[in-house]
Amino acid sequence: MTIRLSDTPLLEWAGNTLAVGLFEDAVELTGDLAALDQKFAGILKELIAEEEFTAKANSTIFTRVGAVNQVKKVILVGLGKPEALKLETLRRVAAAVAKVAKKQKTKTLGISLPVWNNDPAATAQAIAEGAQLALYQDNRFKSEPEDKGPQIETIDLLGLSGQEAAVTRANQIVSGVNLARQLVAAPANAVTPITLAETAQAIATEHGLQVEILEREDCEKLGMGAFLGVAQASDLPPKFIHLTYKPETTAKRKLAIIGKGLTFDSGGLNIKGAGSGIETMKIDMGGAAATLGAAKAIGQIKPDVEVHFISAATENMISGHAMHPGDILTASNGKTIEVNNTDAEGRLTLADALVYADKLGLDAIVDLATLTGACVVALGNDIAGLFTPDDAVASQLEKAAETAGEKIWRLPMEDKYFEGLKSGIADMKNTGPRPGGSITAALFLKQFVKETPWAHLDIAGPVWEDKENGYNGPGATGFGVRTLVNWVLS
């Protein structure tokens, strides 16, 4: 599919389907829209009246306008209230239009939407992102794909001529999101720690990044006892992935993004029972997937920022070699951990990854992980939890997420709650009491960062959708990629 920028007037555009946005309760056709309606013999005005269309956000109506016209079909899409127009509105509106157009077997689609905040570049990028994210299809594991219909070949963004760089940026970011979606959606027999390492190597080769893959022996030499404790039951070797993007000029900042990389989580000897969702635990590497997706995007954008992409990738399995509840592990910073729950394994892998990153001389670290069900209980399926003792990093991430349209919410790091992690025989336990479970998980991670400004994103909820939601279909969402890219570029 090709996205083109066009300065062709609304009345002169030619193609299969034309989509036009209207604000809520402002559906009276004026100006060019009135002229367009007149050109189509009053069909649009009649359609609005018949459908009682009020233009609520993301609502759509469509009609054929006759075989003799240079436009065959028209979609009217609701923008909601003018004062509520955001970039995310444009993304979701573009997604709604793209889905309707595809069902109508459109090959050439024209989209005419208002410019947000007098910023045509941001507007073009948001529309291009929304349409492409909505049209994503993953049929890799189907012998007979259900969707055999024609695909949209061209989308023209009307009135946005000259914003080619913005569309290129959208394409780069969407490629990273779709990589993350593919990694999360693939089953654990298709995406393993080895696969994640190979994906990192492919990104490095394609986009000019440096890559280092630490094997088990390398991790042993670095004292990564927490990570290796989780990995010891799997028949597959652990892979500690370190991708580095370095700009050609002097880097303005040095950052690290760390993603939890559990390609399957059985729970270990604290095995997940029936009804626990164990069959979905392929998604437990959603943080690593977002990290690699961000690396793919950043490798194409090439900002003047040095970025390290890190994941301690493994499975959490059961065997005669599995760590036991009650075992004591020693992390690479010398901290000892009593494992009171083998199903709280992600924080153990992140602990050694954080120690590793903290030694790189960075300006900030962000880790993201499908870490706790407690965060889903607190914030639901659409919102990630943000934890950080650093107000500046929190502000940067909140702004980046707002621009991306990815919802995050800062939760408190109540130091008193760390008492629930105290152990009688080690420096700490890996889990605390049930209340405040996402907070104690963040406090655990905090013990492995000495001086670098740091933030943790718990993405357990929004990494997956059970049903269609805006530009995300059922399945993996690629959550976090767009926020991380915005954060790096900010």
Side-chain angles (χ1 to χ4, degrees):
M1 186 182 70
T2 302
I3 296 180
R4 303 184 303 197
L5 289 306
S6 174
D7 57 3
T8 303
L10 199 62
L11 291 168
E12 298 177 16
W13 184 81
N16 298 133
T17 304
L18 175 63
V20 180
L22 296 174
F23 284 110
E24 188 171 347
D25 297 328
V27 296
E28 183 177 347
L29 302 181
T30 60
D32 285 349
L33 286 179
L36 192 68
D37 186 44
Q38 185 177 7
K39 181 178 179 179
F40 297 145
I43 289 178
L44 301 184
K45 186 175 181 181
E46 184 178 315
L47 177 68
I48 290 169
E50 282 185 357
E51 298 287 341
E52 298 180 347
F53 184 63
T54 60
K56 289 186 180 296
N58 309 320
S59 60
T60 57
I61 55 175
F62 69 92
T63 184
R64 288 188 61 85
V65 291
V68 298
N69 293 307
Q70 58 192 14
V71 173
K72 307 307 178 188
K73 298 178 183 179
V74 173
I75 301 171
L76 299 180
V77 59
L79 299 168
K81 300 290 186 183
E83 61 273 17
L85 184 69
K86 298 180 179 180
L87 289 175
E88 182 66 0
T89 309
L90 296 177
R91 275 191 206 93
R92 288 180 174 263
V93 164
V97 164
K99 289 176 182 178
V100 172
K102 187 176 185 303
K103 287 180 181 178
Q104 293 303 307
K105 304 186 186 308
T106 294
K107 289 189 175 181
T108 303
L109 170 64
I111 300 179
S112 177
L113 298 177
V115 173
W116 170 81
N117 201 30
N118 295 316
D119 190 338
T123 299
Q125 181 177 331
I127 297 171
E129 286 178 2
Q132 291 184 89
L133 290 171
L135 293 172
Y136 168 79
Q137 295 267 319
D138 186 0
N139 294 316
R140 290 172 296 164
F141 303 105
K142 292 185 178 182
S143 59
E144 290 289 336
E146 297 171 9
D147 183 7
K148 297 180 180 178
Q151 303 295 315
I152 296 175
E153 295 175 357
T154 305
I155 297 179
D156 288 341
L157 306 189
L158 304 183
L160 292 170
S161 179
Q163 304 306 322
E164 285 79 9
V167 171
T168 297
R169 175 68 53 84
N171 296 343
Q172 293 164 336
I173 293 173
V174 169
S175 73
V177 175
N178 287 343
L179 171 62
R181 284 169 159 179
Q182 290 171 354
L183 291 170
V184 173
N189 63 339
V191 169
T192 67
I194 298 169
T195 310
L196 291 183
E198 290 171 346
T199 302
Q201 289 170 329
I203 292 169
T205 299
E206 186 174 0
H207 301 297
L209 280 69
Q210 300 171 12
V211 63
E212 184 178 15
I213 308 297
L214 302 184
E215 304 295 344
R216 187 191 302 271
E217 296 77 13
D218 303 311
C219 296
E220 288 173 349
K221 290 176 183 177
L222 293 173
M224 294 183 177
F227 169 41
L228 295 177
V230 177
Q232 67 193 39
S234 176
D235 290 336
L236 297 174
K239 301 287 182 179
F240 191 96
I241 299 164
H242 181 192
L243 264 174
T244 307
Y245 164 77
K246 290 187 177 182
E248 294 182 1
T249 58
T250 302
K252 289 185 177 179
R253 291 193 299 165
K254 295 184 179 181
L255 307 173
I257 297 169
I258 300 174
K260 175 184 169 183
L262 268 293
T263 58
F264 188 76
D265 177 22
S266 70
L269 290 177
N270 290 113
I271 189 169
K272 296 176 185 291
S276 66
I278 189 171
E279 71 281 358
T280 68
M281 284 298 102
K282 63 181 184 178
I283 74 171
D284 216 14
M285 38 63 69
T291 298
L292 292 173
K296 182 177 179 67
I298 291 299
Q300 296 172 77
I301 296 168
K302 302 193 182 304
D304 54 359
V305 180
E306 182 178 310
V307 191
H308 299 260
F309 305 92
I310 296 168
S311 181
T314 185
E315 296 180 313
N316 184 26
M317 299 297 285
I318 299 171
S319 75
H321 300 290
M323 64 179 175
H324 314 86
D327 281 358
I328 295 177
L329 306 177
T330 303
S332 47
N333 64 347
K335 298 274 188 182
T336 57
I337 305 158
E338 179 188 357
V339 180
N340 64 337
N341 187 342
T342 64
D343 194 23
E345 81 301 326
R347 64 198 69 185
L348 297 173
T349 68
L350 288 170
D352 281 326
L354 286 166
V355 173
Y356 180 92
D358 195 35
K359 297 176 181 178
L360 296 176
L362 304 169
D363 295 301
I365 299 169
V366 170
D367 79 71
L368 69 165
T370 51
L371 205 64
T372 68
C375 198
V376 183
V377 172
L379 297 177
N381 291 317
D382 293 339
I383 306 172
L386 166 63
F387 301 85
T388 178
D390 192 290
D391 291 340
V393 174
S395 178
Q396 292 166 14
L397 287 168
E398 287 167 338
K399 184 177 179 181
E402 171 68 21
T403 302
E406 295 184 320
K407 296 180 180 180
I408 66 174
W409 191 263
R410 190 178 183 185
L411 292 168
M413 296 192 69
E414 181 61 46
D415 286 336
K416 180 184 176 183
Y417 287 9
F418 187 74
E419 294 176 6
L421 292 171
K422 289 183 177 178
S423 165
I425 56 173
D427 293 331
M428 69 194 88
K429 296 182 291 187
N430 69 325
T431 64
R434 186 171 183 179
S438 58
I439 298 175
T440 53
L443 290 171
F444 177 90
L445 296 178
K446 183 184 175 185
Q447 310 310 307
F448 301 92
V449 185
K450 266 189 175 181
E451 299 177 358
T452 312
W454 156 82
H456 160 62
L457 289 170
D458 193 328
I459 63 171
V463 76
W464 187 267
E465 291 282 2
D466 288 326
K467 58 184 180 180
E468 189 172 289
N469 183 3
Y471 40 74
N472 288 315
T477 64
F479 184 93
V481 172
R482 290 179 293 127
T483 293
L484 293 171
V485 171
N486 287 346
W487 176 60
V488 170
L489 300 179
S490 64

